[in-house]
Amino acid sequence: MNFPILSSLILLPTIGALFLFFTKNKEGNNLTAKYVALFTSVVNFLISIYLWVFFDQSTSSFQFIEDRKWIEGFINYKVGVDGISILFIILTTFITPLCIISVNNSVKNRLRDFLIAILIMESFMIGVFCALDLVVFYLFFEAGLIPMFLIIGIWGGERRVYSAFKFFLYTLLGSVLMLVAIISIYWITGTTDVVQLYDIGIDVKYQNLLWLAFFSSFAVKTPMWPVHTWLPDAHVEAPTAGSVLLAAILLKMAGYGFIRFSLGLFPVASEVFTPLIYILSVIAIIFTSLIALMQEDMKKLIAYSSVAHMGFVTLGIFTLQQQGIEGSIIQMISHGLVSAALFLTVGVVYDRMHSRLISTYGGLVSVIPKYSILFMLFALASLGLPGTSGFIGEFLILMGAFKDNFLVAVIASIGVILGAAYMLWLYKRVVFGKLINEDLKKILDLNRSEYFILSCLAVPILFFGFYPDPLINTIEVSVTDLINMHNTNIAGK
Amino acid sequence: MELSIIFLPLIASIISGFFGKFIGDRNSEILTSVLVSISALLSIHVFYQVIVNQYEENIVIATWISSGSLDVNWSMLIDPLSAVMLVVVTSISALVHIYSIGYMSDDPHKPRFMAYLSLFTFAMLMLVTSDNFIQLFFGWEGVGLCSYFLIGFWFKKESANAAAIKAFVVNRVGDFGFALGIFLIFYLFGTVNYSEVFQEIPTVVNKNLSFLGFDVKAIDLVCLLLFVGAMGKSAQILLHTWLPDAMEGPTPVSALIHAATMVTAGVFLVVRCSPIYEYSLLILNFITIVGMTTAFFAATVALVQTDIKKIIAYSTCSQLGYMFFAAGVGAYNVAMFHLFTHAFFKALLFLGSGSVIHAFKDEQNINNMGGVWKKLPYTYALMIIGTLALTGFPFLSGFYSKDAIIEFAYLRGNTVGYYAAGIGIITAFLTSIYSWRLIFKTFHGEYNNKVINIDETHESPLVMLVPLFILSLGAVFAGYLFKGLFIGYGDNLFWAESIKFLEPLSTEHPPLWFLLLTPCLVLLSIPIAYYLFVKNKELPFAIASMNKPLYNFLVHKWYFDELYDVLFIKSSKKLGLFLWKFCDGTIIDGFGPDGISSFIKKCSIKAIKFQSGFIYQYAFVMLLGFSALLTFLIVK
């Protein structure tokens, strides 16, 4: 590979951020700053599409690899993509520009700094998804916390400081153990290169502890029950664009981590701890769905539904079935689109009414029909209606889970019923019914940029619901090989 | 050409839904009606081809999901079974489209309504023409969605919204079973395509699965799970509660979705899966029991309801019960026959009742009607035809199909069969009583409406009456004309491979007294009903007040709604609140982040005290330490 395409994907947003950093921070510059940020992220999106076009779907080995010495004999800066990671990169580069377009209404002060935070965040997220060295991965993984922490802490709502610290403490505590585990891996094997580690494997006697250490970090970030309570708080306080990034991309790092590292590096331990994951996932699906039913705050409701959806993801990954893992990846992509869309739809009415409470609304359909139609579509995608991307993911996951364990699939399927209940009830209370609140009569329908953003999300949700082949073909070979590798490892030990 | 049957309604829906504002109300009404009518004509052509030329085809449109060994296509399967459904769905749908032009004339959201109707038709066609279980599921949920939209069409009505959600969620409970059934099929057979699954059946007949410590036959479990889905969609007892509430939607919707097509999807599913069900006698018996219980339950409830649409809704529920017990006794073709005839006369009754409601300006309580048969002569006549067909009056369509069901139940020759036949006869009698009650209370006796004058009631416009008339033709002749084709004793050439009978159906005839029993009861019921509800009106009240508990039990629909409210709705809300406030709030946050941070804070407050800044305290501590060290060294 001659041209360092992945590095440019990682670096470009940072360059954009630096450029913004050195411009004067004046009120009048806000619009220019937005254009700069938007330009950067759109170019990045185009590069990632180029990457996808030239990506070879027929092999599971890493492509576009770059390998540079960083610290002699210890860490190499190594990046590359396979079928699993490339979709997450595209998701990141796709969501970021939409976030940038959406900020004009929600962020009033220090817009330039906000854009810098988003761009830096994009860099780190792309870094996470293409890092092929454990230390590099760890750096990106943890660094991603910082911009998010700032976004919540500076531009958040009333309890932003509490939420920001809760978010930071939870995620950092989990990650410390992962750092220890990475260092141990270096001691045990003498390398932190993921590709090499796949080949040489890690001694079975160390796997359980190492798996748990990685798990503690990923579980918090997913988030899995019972370490999920930071998520609703973080979402409620974060500004819309922050919530979108958090739900759409940040949560996916952990799911990706489970596939790439927990399954890939510790196959034996993964088998050992599958029951643990199943139990926690099923609890997450049922408990948080029930909790979502009772929420009075729209953002909190969607946050809890995210926990339930990520419960499906973790469940699917550890089924170790083709359908399960592919379903999980599709579910993550789909959830990235759907939850982003849902947070944006909440943001739209929040910008106008400054309330996230469900009871403020009711009867919106008679004043803002366009909004109501799109909201309906996203609600349906969230509850997994066939014909939307949400269905493909959920259905494949449950199908895979059923092959592996009846009972788990049966209980998890109850979540599908609850999902319909809380989502439709939310929709009914917000959109249907009589228009009682007088203030709502003046509310305006989607403006052009909002309409554009939400349509951009609606199109892939529907497209992949009817034709998920592009996604499945991209991941198919990588997932098959992952499972084969896993099975030979298990058989060998 | 075949594909246009499916896609014309979709196109109609998209145009009317998204561009309705630009092309205008009238144009979207005409456009959707015309496109769906074309689709209906094409369906009839296909049906004709299937009858005459044994035409069968499996068209693959595109791939949908291919993940590992799972391969699912968008497809269109034409065989006798789907051809019958195509005709029923598209023709009823076309008539309902046309009827709606008149019925919805005062509504401000006509294009949206027509778009939903057409979208429903599309989803229903996807359902019936699928060649695999997942596309079936797509259609299954799709029709559920459209039903949700249409029940809640008048979105300002609180009750309509609640009914819409109820319908969707209760259906999801059924879908939960259905989805698990699909997973199990994929687990057992490694494929979800009908043809491959049905071929592989014999290999898993003796396979057992252990589930929660129980050893169950795999095939029984498959059948049971699929049937749970069917119960939800076809409103069988336990999962029936959504159907009466669904009457909140506009009446054409009730006729199309909640009488003729969507609710019969469950029956269709069981018949489609006859190659599987034939191997599971246990579940077939279960289906019979559920079917007849529903038939009986719904008929008893219908006796005392006062909402004209709810009576017909319970009647639908009851008739679906008949279809299921036909399928349960192995007479799948008879179930399909009843589905076919029922679509005509039930749609007729619903649309007729819509015409009555229209005349009374949205009055639905039969106690507030009466004495208008001269004012609404056509509606009256057509409703009478519908009622006669429904009750099984000799030589009308219901007579052929319903009596055939009872006969086959009898011929089954086992306990469940005899039992079902007995219940079937009793239910037929009840059906007749409540149907005539509806007619007499609505059209005869005194005029009871206090809100509008009798002279204000008016006959419906032609655009509503013509569809009614066409349906009435079906209600009269469908049974006689298609009896030979659907259930022609002995030589079932028509169904070919689409329905499987492990053993050929019995070709005997039941004894003559048995054959005459039901028609006699049905005939007898007309004077009884006339006496009870026109001549001697005090008598029903006297009976009701004598048996107050029984009456209340029936009026409250056997208390299912109340029970579910306590059992599921209130308890899950409470559980949700508990999990949120207590588990997440008090336990996890209390001991987790908040607990730890306050603990650290407390510790540091304690630790602060050590740094008091007073020399004498530090000196004292040093002294203590020094002496402790000394003591330790000396003792050692």
Side-chain angles (χ1 to χ4, degrees):
Chain A
M1 193 65 218
N2 308 320
F3 183 70
I5 184 164
L6 287 174
S7 294
S8 45
L9 266 176
I10 297 173
L11 282 177
L12 191 64
T14 314
I15 293 169
L18 281 175
F19 183 79
L20 285 179
F21 185 72
F22 288 114
T23 52
K24 274 203 188 120
N25 188 13
K26 277 193 306 187
E27 274 303 302
N29 280 349
N30 276 353
L31 201 63
T32 328
K34 216 181 118 179
Y35 285 136
V36 171
L38 188 60
F39 177 74
T40 322
S41 56
V42 168
V43 170
N44 226 25
F45 175 62
L46 294 177
I47 299 177
S48 69
I49 291 294
Y50 171 86
L51 190 73
W52 197 13
V53 171
F54 286 92
F55 177 80
D56 181 4
Q57 296 181 344
S58 59
T59 166
S60 71
S61 52
F62 289 94
Q63 303 173 34
F64 305 102
I65 290 185
E66 292 166 40
D67 199 352
R68 280 166 232 277
K69 291 218 168 58
W70 184 8
I71 302 174
E72 193 68 40
F74 177 41
I75 311 166
N76 289 343
Y77 168 80
K78 185 169 183 180
V79 290
V81 287
D82 68 350
I84 297 167
S85 49
I86 189 164
L87 290 180
F88 292 101
I89 293 174
I90 292 161
L91 180 70
T92 311
T93 56
F94 177 66
I95 295 287
T96 310
L98 297 181
C99 274
I100 291 170
I101 301 173
S102 82
V103 291
N104 50 347
N105 304 318
S106 48
V107 175
K108 295 275 187 291
N109 60 331
R110 301 173 69 181
L111 183 74
R112 186 195 66 155
D113 299 347
F114 190 76
L115 294 171
I116 292 177
I118 290 184
L119 287 176
I120 298 273
M121 178 102 155
E122 182 181 14
S123 281
F124 291 155
M125 294 302 109
I126 295 171
V128 165
F129 294 126
C130 56
L132 285 183
D133 186 283
L134 285 173
V135 178
V136 177
F137 170 77
Y138 181 78
L139 288 177
F140 281 126
F141 192 76
E142 290 311 306
L145 277 181
I146 299 164
M148 199 65 224
F149 174 74
L150 295 175
I151 287 174
I152 298 173
I154 297 175
W155 291 276
E158 279 161 28
R159 297 176 69 228
R160 57 176 181 265
V161 178
Y162 170 78
S163 300
F165 274 99
K166 199 174 182 181
F167 164 73
F168 200 78
L169 284 179
Y170 251 124
T171 43
L172 197 69
L173 270 174
S175 309
V176 169
L177 289 174
M178 186 165 83
L179 180 63
V180 175
I182 290 172
I183 297 169
S184 322
I185 289 175
Y186 180 72
W187 282 340
I188 295 165
T189 60
T191 178
T192 52
D193 185 325
V194 177
V195 184
Q196 281 185 33
L197 284 170
Y198 276 176
D199 288 339
I200 53 181
I202 293 172
D203 200 334
V204 181
K205 64 186 172 192
Y206 301 118
Q207 282 195 11
N208 285 356
L209 274 178
L210 292 173
W211 188 93
L212 280 173
F214 274 80
F215 168 74
S216 71
S217 173
F218 295 150
V220 169
K221 280 242 169 70
T222 309
M224 296 178 76
W225 192 89
V227 285
H228 64 282
T229 59
W230 62 270
L231 186 73
D233 281 323
H235 270 312
V236 168
E237 297 307 326
T240 304
S243 286
V244 172
L245 285 177
L246 182 58
I249 308 166
L250 224 69
L251 300 190
K252 308 300 172 291
M253 299 194 306
Y256 170 76
F258 273 127
I259 299 176
R260 171 74 74 234
F261 302 109
S262 299
L263 287 190
L265 295 179
F266 321 119
V268 180
S270 295
E271 292 278 321
V272 173
F273 289 110
T274 296
L276 174 74
I277 295 271
Y278 278 178
I279 291 168
L280 293 182
S281 305
V282 165
I283 291 178
I285 292 168
I286 301 297
F287 280 18
T288 50
S289 297
L290 282 169
I291 294 174
L293 202 58
M294 295 312 294
Q295 295 305 310
E296 290 137 12
D297 182 316
M298 291 195 267
K299 267 186 144 181
K300 237 179 177 165
L301 192 151
I302 299 164
Y304 272 112
S305 83
S306 288
V307 181
H309 283 123
M310 293 310 286
F312 278 106
V313 170
T314 46
L315 175 65
I317 291 171
F318 283 86
T319 56
L320 282 166
Q321 303 285 340
Q322 185 97 20
Q323 285 83 24
I325 297 179
E326 287 182 6
S328 288
I329 295 171
I330 293 172
Q331 171 85 339
M332 280 195 267
I333 301 297
S334 157
H335 179 256
L337 300 169
V338 175
S339 64
L342 283 171
F343 279 118
L344 284 164
T345 44
V346 173
V348 167
V349 287
Y350 180 77
D351 287 343
R352 291 158 173 68
M353 300 294 297
H354 302 287
S355 165
R356 291 183 308 260
L357 290 181
I358 296 171
S359 54
T360 312
Y361 301 95
L364 286 181
V365 65
S366 43
V367 273
I368 46 173
K370 268 190 215 165
Y371 172 83
S372 307
I373 293 170
L374 282 166
F375 191 2
M376 181 92 249
L377 173 70
F378 301 135
L380 293 173
S382 171
L383 61 84
L385 191 88
T388 64
S389 57
F391 168 74
I392 311 281
E394 239 169 49
F395 205 76
L396 286 176
I397 289 169
L398 290 172
M399 212 164 214
F402 196 91
K403 269 182 167 176
D404 198 50
N405 188 324
F406 284 168
L407 190 60
V408 166
V410 171
I411 302 174
S413 302
I414 296 173
V416 178
I417 303 173
L418 293 171
Y422 65 70
M423 221 54 223
L424 291 181
W425 200 31
L426 166 75
Y427 189 80
K428 178 208 135 187
R429 286 178 293 171
V430 173
V431 175
F432 287 148
K434 282 204 186 75
L435 195 74
I436 293 165
N437 189 341
E438 282 296 317
D439 298 341
L440 288 175
K441 289 206 173 128
K442 295 192 292 288
I443 200 168
L444 294 172
D445 209 340
L446 301 174
N447 62 30
R448 260 173 46 211
S449 70
E450 287 162 343
Y451 195 55
F452 173 76
I453 300 170
L454 293 179
S455 315
C456 279
L457 290 164
V459 168
I461 288 172
L462 280 176
F463 179 78
F464 292 129
F466 283 94
Y467 191 66
D469 254 18
L471 299 182
I472 296 179
N473 287 342
T474 308
I475 57 181
E476 180 105 13
V477 180
S478 296
V479 173
T480 315
D481 278 15
L482 181 75
I483 293 171
N484 289 341
M485 186 176 86
H486 179 88
N487 290 339
T488 44
N489 275 328
I490 295 294
K493 271 152 195 170
Chain B
M1 182 202 79
E2 288 80 3
L3 288 180
S4 52
I5 296 177
I6 296 183
F7 287 107
L8 282 178
L10 179 66
I11 293 166
S13 167
I14 291 172
I15 295 177
S16 173
F18 289 103
F19 307 105
K21 230 183 248 167
F22 306 111
I23 61 172
D25 288 1
R26 182 43 51 101
N27 285 337
S28 22
E29 283 167 351
I30 292 173
L31 178 92
T32 48
S33 304
V34 166
L35 289 185
V36 174
S37 304
I38 295 174
S39 167
L41 292 177
L42 292 174
S43 303
I44 292 169
H45 175 73
V46 167
F47 185 51
Y48 179 77
Q49 290 296 320
V50 171
I51 297 174
V52 178
N53 300 333
Q54 281 84 41
Y55 170 70
E56 284 195 27
E57 195 160 344
N58 191 355
I59 306 165
V60 173
I61 303 168
T63 57
W64 184 16
I65 310 174
S66 63
S67 163
S69 54
L70 176 71
D71 256 311
V72 181
N73 288 326
W74 294 111
S75 58
M76 183 177 185
L77 172 68
I78 296 173
D79 67 351
L81 189 56
S82 58
V84 171
M85 292 303 287
L86 278 181
V87 171
V88 171
V89 172
T90 52
S91 55
I92 305 281
S93 174
L95 294 174
V96 167
H97 271 81
I98 296 166
Y99 178 91
S100 302
I101 297 176
Y103 190 84
M104 301 299 281
S105 55
D106 299 331
D107 198 279
H109 301 289
K110 289 178 209 113
R112 187 163 64 94
F113 183 77
M114 302 311 272
Y116 287 160
L117 282 185
S118 304
L119 185 66
F120 166 80
T121 312
F122 165 72
M124 191 71 203
L125 293 172
M126 289 302 271
L127 191 162
V128 298
T129 60
S130 166
D131 76 346
N132 61 69
F133 283 98
I134 298 189
Q135 187 188 328
L136 178 72
F137 192 73
F138 167 85
W140 194 264
E141 292 250 305
V143 292
L145 175 73
C146 296
S147 154
Y148 165 83
F149 282 147
L150 284 163
I151 296 169
F153 182 74
W154 288 314
F155 54 84
K156 285 184 181 160
K157 261 166 85 186
E158 197 56 34
S159 54
N161 287 322
I165 293 188
K166 187 176 177 182
F168 197 88
V169 174
V170 174
N171 266 301
R172 268 263 157 141
V173 176
D175 295 354
F176 157 76
F178 187 18
L180 288 175
I182 297 174
F183 301 150
L184 184 58
I185 285 172
F186 182 64
Y187 172 76
L188 288 171
F189 303 100
T191 170
V192 289
N193 293 330
Y194 296 149
S195 54
E196 294 162 33
V197 171
F198 296 158
Q199 248 171 17
E200 296 291 315
I201 296 287
T203 59
V204 298
V205 168
N206 294 317
K207 199 165 174 176
N208 282 334
L209 294 170
S210 82
F211 181 72
L212 287 176
F214 295 101
D215 227 18
V216 277
K217 271 177 80 179
I219 205 129
D220 285 347
L221 198 58
V222 171
C223 290
L224 179 68
L225 289 170
L226 292 180
F227 181 58
V228 170
M231 280 172 76
K233 195 104 303 184
S234 295
Q236 293 299 287
I237 196 160
L238 299 181
L239 293 180
H240 67 279
T241 55
W242 65 272
L243 184 59
D245 288 25
M247 297 301 126
E248 290 290 341
T251 308
V253 173
S254 313
L256 175 62
I257 301 187
H258 305 120
T261 55
M262 183 186 86
V263 288
T264 59
V267 182
F268 169 77
L269 173 68
V270 172
V271 176
R272 172 60 86 199
C273 297
S274 58
I276 313 181
Y277 278 97
E278 275 296 279
Y279 288 94
S280 173
L281 192 63
L282 180 72
I283 302 301
L284 279 182
N285 284 338
F286 178 70
I287 294 176
T288 314
I289 292 168
V290 169
M292 73 191 182
T293 315
T294 310
F296 178 71
F297 149 79
T300 59
V301 174
L303 281 177
V304 297
Q305 296 302 310
T306 53
D307 184 315
I308 186 168
K309 281 179 73 183
K310 286 206 172 160
I311 297 173
I312 307 179
Y314 274 107
S315 162
T316 305
C317 203
S318 174
Q319 297 303 309
L320 289 165
Y322 272 107
M323 294 173 208
F324 274 112
F325 85 62
V329 296
Y332 306 101
N333 51 348
V334 186
M336 283 309 289
F337 187 38
H338 196 52
L339 187 160
F340 183 73
T341 58
H342 174 258
F344 291 106
F345 57 69
K346 195 47 72 64
L348 173 61
L349 279 173
F350 259 122
L351 294 182
S353 77
S355 175
V356 173
I357 294 167
H358 200 67
F360 278 97
K361 300 213 164 57
D362 297 331
E363 175 60 62
Q364 300 200 4
N365 191 328
I366 52 170
N367 286 330
N368 297 336
M369 298 175 179
V372 289
W373 65 275
K374 278 186 188 150
K375 298 289 292 180
L376 312 172
Y378 301 111
T379 306
Y380 174 64
L382 294 165
M383 284 285 276
I384 293 274
I385 292 174
T387 303
L388 289 171
L390 165 67
T391 54
F393 192 81
F395 312 115
L396 294 180
S397 60
F399 167 74
Y400 292 101
S401 55
K402 194 192 287 181
D403 284 18
I405 291 176
I406 297 171
E407 282 167 35
F408 274 103
Y410 178 83
L411 290 175
R412 181 76 166 183
N414 60 12
T415 326
V416 177
Y418 289 132
Y419 196 43
I423 297 270
I425 293 168
I426 296 170
T427 307
F429 179 67
L430 294 178
T431 305
S432 190
I433 297 278
Y434 71 68
S435 303
W436 287 108
R437 169 175 176 260
L438 187 150
I439 293 289
F440 291 139
K441 284 225 168 202
T442 311
F443 292 103
H444 293 266
E446 297 98 53
Y447 183 77
N448 288 322
N449 197 307
K450 311 221 164 34
V451 185
I452 56 169
N453 199 294
I454 186 162
D455 295 323
E456 287 178 59
T457 60
H458 58 88
E459 186 58 276
S460 299
L462 213 56
V463 70
M464 286 165 73
L465 289 175
V466 169
L468 280 179
F469 178 71
I470 298 172
L471 284 172
S472 73
L473 292 181
V476 175
F477 298 111
Y480 175 74
L481 291 178
F482 289 95
K483 181 173 188 265
L485 187 71
F486 279 73
I487 56 172
Y489 291 92
D491 50 341
N492 260 306
L493 293 175
F494 170 65
W495 295 108
E497 297 293 309
S498 64
I499 295 181
K500 179 166 173 124
F501 301 98
L502 218 49
E503 296 159 23
L505 282 177
S506 170
T507 49
E508 296 165 36
H509 286 278
L512 191 64
W513 64 266
F514 187 84
L515 287 177
L516 289 176
L517 188 58
T518 326
C520 287
L521 280 174
V522 167
L523 289 176
L524 197 64
S525 68
I526 304 175
I528 295 176
Y530 186 73
Y531 180 73
L532 281 176
F533 301 112
V534 180
K535 273 282 172 210
N536 192 347
K537 284 186 175 171
E538 303 307 315
L539 194 59
F541 290 106
I543 298 172
S545 56
M546 260 160 52
N547 300 299
K548 209 67 190 163
L550 178 67
Y551 179 72
N552 279 335
F553 183 65
L554 294 182
V555 168
H556 286 100
K557 308 145 195 165
W558 295 27
Y559 291 105
F560 270 108
D561 280 325
E562 288 79 356
L563 184 73
Y564 286 177
D565 192 44
V566 176
L567 222 58
F568 299 115
I569 299 169
K570 289 217 174 91
S571 59
S572 53
K573 281 185 180 174
K574 272 190 190 145
L575 190 60
L577 212 56
F578 168 81
L579 288 170
W580 176 29
K581 296 285 184 195
F582 185 74
C583 286
D584 269 23
T586 314
I587 305 268
I588 295 177
D589 274 354
F591 289 98
D594 295 354
I596 291 171
S597 61
S598 69
F599 176 72
I600 291 171
K601 208 172 173 185
K602 268 183 206 156
C603 289
S604 69
I605 286 171
K606 292 261 159 67
I608 283 169
K609 290 187 178 149
F610 285 107
Q611 301 187 6
S612 60
F614 298 115
I615 301 284
Y616 62 87
Q617 280 184 359
Y618 294 164
F620 179 65
V621 173
M622 277 166 75
L623 194 67
L624 274 182
F626 185 65
S627 43
L629 195 66
L630 257 182
T631 325
F632 176 72
L633 286 174
I634 293 165
V635 172
K636 196 183 165 197

